[in-house]
Each structure stands twice: as C-alpha cells, then as structure tokens.
C-alpha cells in the first residue's frame, strides 16, 4: 500500500517522476524546475496548457506533464 | 516619387503581416547562440524559425530557450520539425501556441529520414486541421505544383517548396516545378531548403519566388555573419533583377556591338 500511496503523490514530467503536493500549479512546478525565461510550453495529459492558465491550473497526482521549449531549428 | 531604377515599398506580406526582408533564417546548426544572433542581425531577416523540443533535465543547456538569444524584434516562426505524422505536427503547433509563441507554423510532416522529404498527404491533413484552428500555416512541401494549389485552395498563407533536400546545399534542382508554383500561386512562395550559396538564393528570387528560407548554408560557413550578409545582398539582387524584367533566353548569340561600320571592312 505504501507504493500506491507514493504513486498518488507524484506526477510525471517528461517521463520522470516528480513529487507533487496538493494544489501544485503549473507555474509553481516551472519555478521548482527552474524553467525561467520567455517561453515554457506545457502539456498536461495530452492537452496543451495556455500560458495564461499556468498560475491557476492545479496538477493532480498521476498527471502526465510535458514541458518543452523553443530550440534552434530550421 | 522614387527615382527610376529603384524599387520602393517592396515588402513581403504574409497573412496581412509585412516584412521588409525577403530572407527568412533558420536558427539551427550554429556553433554558438552568439554566432546565430550575429548572423540573424547581418542577414536583415525579420522572420526566423525555431523548433520545439522537450526540456532535458540532464543536459547542461537542456532548459535553454533559444528565443532569448534572438533580438526582441524578431518575429518567430515555430516549425513542426520532428513530426512524422499530421497528428504529431498539430500537437507541436498547438503546444507552441499555448505557450505563447505566435500562432504561425512552418508545417513540416517528414516521415523520411534519409532525404527528409515531406509527406504530402500528411501535410494536407495537418494544414486543414491547423487552418480550421486559426493558425497561419506555411507548409514545407516538395516542389509539386498540384499539391501547392491544393494547399493554397485550403487557405494556406504561403507555400514553401524545397529547392533540393534539407541541408544538401545543392540549389534549385526543382527549378522548373518551382517556376510553375510561382506562376500559379496566389500566396507567397518561399523556397525553403537546399540553398547552398548566395547565387542559389538570387536565382530563386529571379524566377519570381517571393522569399527564401536559409539555414545550413549560413550556419556552417567559416564566417556565418559574412555569409548572412552575402545572402542578404543576393536576395536583394535577385529580387531587383526579377522586378527589372529579365531578358528572354535565346539559343543563339546576338551581337551587342553594331554589325555595320566594321573598321576591318574600311
């Protein structure tokens, strides 16, 4: 049961497990991961999260989060 | 009143947005971010492409945002490089827009890694979805005039036929097809990929292309800043040449000096 409880308190970020307390917002997660600068591109459970909602969208245990950035490319 | 021999207000307009330069730059493959920025500035380009990739928490620069290395006035054109299907491309474009990047997309659907040739069916499918979702769509395509027409009819805001495969530097191998696309298109035609030398860019503009997108040829030059300037000049020269009206090619020679009054006949 301990494992199940642990699972419930984590999310996955780019495939990697990450602790996530109740009420953790996307904005707070980005700060914690030191993703600063102009653009952070975020998907939650397959849906893109609009930047305006980073401060209000609260992540839930078990969420799959993708964080991407603009990189050099043609 | 502009003096004869000059061309004023020759701006590139895409979806109602005007650009002073007909050179669009890719930001990939530069040795450093500083070299990339210097080349962008020297090129005069106002529109540059960026790709979208996952943050890599294990790499030293895995969290870096390339746009921070660009002048703030630069207009960003996110691409969907890496998308092998229409579904991948739509996902990437929506992710970029949600994160605050412009709702413009250089649409690439490329399942083929050897020649990096775009999938026309997937591109058409993704273009339709992105257009109905409000994006400004610039699809990267093989130089297929029928496909270009289909994409323009759907509502795409430009078409981007390739000159030759990405990064090959081989120039306008598909020149005749590009000429047909230029003739038929009601939206800007941007020759993208394969331009390896400034003369290739000039040639594209001379045959009536509205703009070119260049990346590798500048990024891998010994002096990327100087090469960016060379491409800037070539694009201007090609465009001026096109607007001035090129002479028609002939099979035989025509003397440029008078045939009459030869001294040797005197």
């Amino acid at each position: 049961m301990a494992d199940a409880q642990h699972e419930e308190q984590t999310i996955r970020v780019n495939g990697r497990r990450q602790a996530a307390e109740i009420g953790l917002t996307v904005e707070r997660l980005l700060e914690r991961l030191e993703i600063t600068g102009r653009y952070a591109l975020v998907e939650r459970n397959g849906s893109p999260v609009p930047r305006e909602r980073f401060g209000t969208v609260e992540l839930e245990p078990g969420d799959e989060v993708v964080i991407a950035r603009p990189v050099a490319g043609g | 009143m502009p003096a004869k021999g000059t061309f004023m207000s020759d701006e590139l307009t895409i979806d109602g947005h005007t650009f002073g330069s007909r050179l669009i730059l890719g930001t990939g493959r530069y040795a450093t971010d500083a070299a990339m920025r210097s080349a962008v500035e020297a090129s005069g380009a106002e529109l540059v492409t960026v790709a979208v990739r996952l943050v890599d928490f294990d790499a030293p620069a895995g969290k870096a945002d390339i746009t921070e290395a660009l002048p703030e006035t630069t207009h960003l054109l996110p691409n969907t490089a890496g998308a092998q299907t229409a579904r991948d491309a739509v996902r990437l474009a929506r992710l970029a827009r949600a994160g605050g990047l412009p709702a413009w997309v250089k649409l690439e659907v490329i399942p083929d890694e050897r020649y990096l040739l775009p999938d026309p069916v997937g591109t058409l499918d993704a273009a339709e979805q992105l257009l109905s979702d409000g994006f400004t769509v610039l699809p990267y395509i093989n130089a297929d005039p029928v496909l270009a027409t289909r994409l323009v009819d759907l509502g795409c805001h430009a078409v981007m036929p390739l000159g030759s495969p990405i990064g090959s530097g081989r120039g306008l191998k598909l020149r005749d097809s590009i000429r047909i696309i230029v003739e038929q298109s009601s939206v800007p035609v941007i020759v993208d990929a394969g331009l390896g030398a400034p003369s290739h860019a000039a040639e594209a503009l001379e045959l009536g292309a509205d703009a070119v997108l260049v990346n590798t040829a500048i990024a891998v030059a010994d002096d990327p800043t100087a090469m960016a300037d060379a491409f800037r000049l070539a694009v201007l020269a090609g465009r001026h040449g096109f607007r001035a009206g090129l002479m028609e090619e002939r099979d035989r020679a025509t003397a440029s000096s008078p045939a009459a009054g030869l001294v040797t006949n005197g």
Side-chain angles (χ1 to χ4, degrees):
Chain A
M1 292 308 287
D3 268 3
Q5 188 148 13
H6 184 64
E7 190 68 42
E8 281 169 13
Q9 293 173 354
T10 62
I11 58 175
R12 277 187 183 276
V13 179
N14 292 0
R16 175 186 292 198
R17 188 175 288 178
Q18 169 86 33
E21 70 279 8
I22 303 290
L24 177 67
T25 62
V26 170
E27 186 174 82
R28 185 78 193 88
L29 174 67
L30 292 171
E31 285 168 9
R32 183 175 297 173
L33 296 171
E34 298 174 329
I35 309 288
T36 56
R38 286 188 198 165
Y39 301 102
L41 317 175
V42 180
E43 243 181 29
R44 178 195 183 199
N45 299 328
S47 297
V49 182
R51 173 157 76 167
E52 311 80 64
R53 298 186 58 209
F54 285 178
T56 52
V57 169
E58 293 183 2
L59 299 169
E60 291 173 14
D63 275 358
E64 294 281 344
V65 178
V66 165
I67 304 176
R69 306 223 82 174
V71 301
Chain B
M1 189 79 177
K4 196 165 173 60
T6 65
F7 295 110
M8 303 302 283
S9 66
D10 183 28
E11 290 169 325
L12 170 67
T13 302
I14 304 172
D15 194 18
H17 196 108
T18 56
F19 301 95
S21 170
R22 291 174 179 274
L23 176 57
I24 301 167
L25 244 59
T27 55
R29 302 193 60 181
Y30 284 88
T32 64
D33 287 355
M36 185 274 289
R37 183 188 174 109
S38 174
V40 168
E41 289 174 343
S43 74
E46 296 169 14
L47 187 61
V48 307
T49 59
V50 294
V52 170
R53 289 291 180 274
L54 290 178
V55 165
D56 181 352
F57 294 103
D58 297 323
K63 299 177 188 173
D65 173 349
I66 191 66
T67 68
E68 299 198 355
L70 286 163
E72 290 216 13
T73 52
T74 309
H75 297 269
L76 301 172
L77 177 59
N79 70 27
T80 63
Q84 297 191 321
T85 64
R87 183 190 169 94
D88 294 344
V90 170
R91 180 183 176 190
L92 276 167
R94 287 180 174 154
L95 175 61
R97 180 178 64 178
L101 285 165
W104 284 44
V105 58
K106 178 190 160 190
L107 174 60
E108 301 181 42
V109 179
I110 302 181
D112 154 45
E113 294 198 3
R114 185 175 173 91
Y115 294 104
L116 295 175
L117 292 172
D119 170 7
V121 178
T123 303
L124 202 66
D125 179 6
E128 193 162 20
Q129 293 183 55
L130 291 168
L131 287 164
S132 69
D133 198 12
F135 280 87
T136 298
V137 181
L138 294 72
Y140 171 64
I141 58 172
N142 208 323
D144 177 345
V146 178
L147 175 63
T149 299
R150 291 283 303 272
L151 287 161
V152 172
D153 289 348
L154 269 184
C156 286
H157 303 87
V159 287
M160 307 184 76
L162 58 93
S164 49
I166 294 173
S168 70
R170 300 178 66 216
L172 293 188
K173 294 298 174 197
L174 298 163
R175 180 188 167 93
D176 292 346
S177 297
I178 290 172
R179 188 193 292 280
I180 297 171
I181 293 173
V182 166
E183 180 196 329
Q184 295 183 338
S185 181
S186 57
V187 299
V189 176
I190 303 165
V191 175
D192 175 13
L195 304 181
S199 56
H200 297 158
E203 186 183 356
L205 275 290
E206 281 168 9
L207 67 80
D210 296 278
V212 291
L213 191 155
V214 181
N215 189 341
T216 306
I218 296 174
V220 307
D222 290 341
D223 184 342
T225 303
M227 188 60 84
D229 189 45
F231 268 94
R232 179 184 68 79
L233 293 166
V235 165
L236 284 175
R239 179 67 181 174
H240 283 336
F242 170 72
R243 295 191 83 194
L246 293 163
M247 65 170 281
E248 283 185 23
E249 289 185 20
R250 298 189 180 93
D251 288 337
R252 294 196 180 175
T254 309
S256 14
S257 304
L262 288 179
V263 172
T264 49
N265 292 343

